[in-house]
Amino acid sequence: MTYSIVDHADGRFALVAVSASGSVYWRCGFLTLAEAERCVEDLRATMVVCGAPLVRWEAELPDMDLRAVLRALGPPFR
């Protein structure tokens, strides 16, 4: 599973994770980057229990605009 922390113009952050099958999971509305990074650590601990690695993806995923995905979700980033 790969993940990225996405920042928005309003100053909030979202954690977006994409599985090997292409399923997208997210958690939005973090007020600080540190808050989003703590969520990553919780996710990492969960993935270790499942035996799956969690890898940070620094660039956009091929054929996927993460900011567009989050905009389509509606609030809190509308």
Side-chain angles (χ1 to χ4, degrees):
M1 181 172 281
T2 60
Y3 77 92
S4 186
I5 295 175
V6 180
D7 59 328
H8 292 270
D10 68 359
R12 290 185 277 183
F13 299 87
L15 169 62
V16 181
V18 181
S19 70
S21 68
S23 297
V24 179
Y25 305 90
W26 64 90
R27 183 155 180 219
C28 300
F30 295 107
L31 298 177
T32 66
L33 181 58
E35 224 180 294
E37 289 172 343
R38 280 192 301 274
C39 184
V40 168
E41 292 311 311
D42 291 342
L43 178 58
R44 187 179 313 282
T46 301
M47 297 307 292
V48 165
V49 171
C50 296
L54 182 64
V55 178
R56 184 173 190 136
W57 188 270
E58 295 292 337
E60 289 293 327
L61 296 171
D63 302 320
M64 186 174 295
D65 180 350
L66 296 177
R67 286 180 180 81
V69 169
L70 292 173
R71 278 192 303 272
L73 298 174
F77 297 108
R78 189 175 273 172

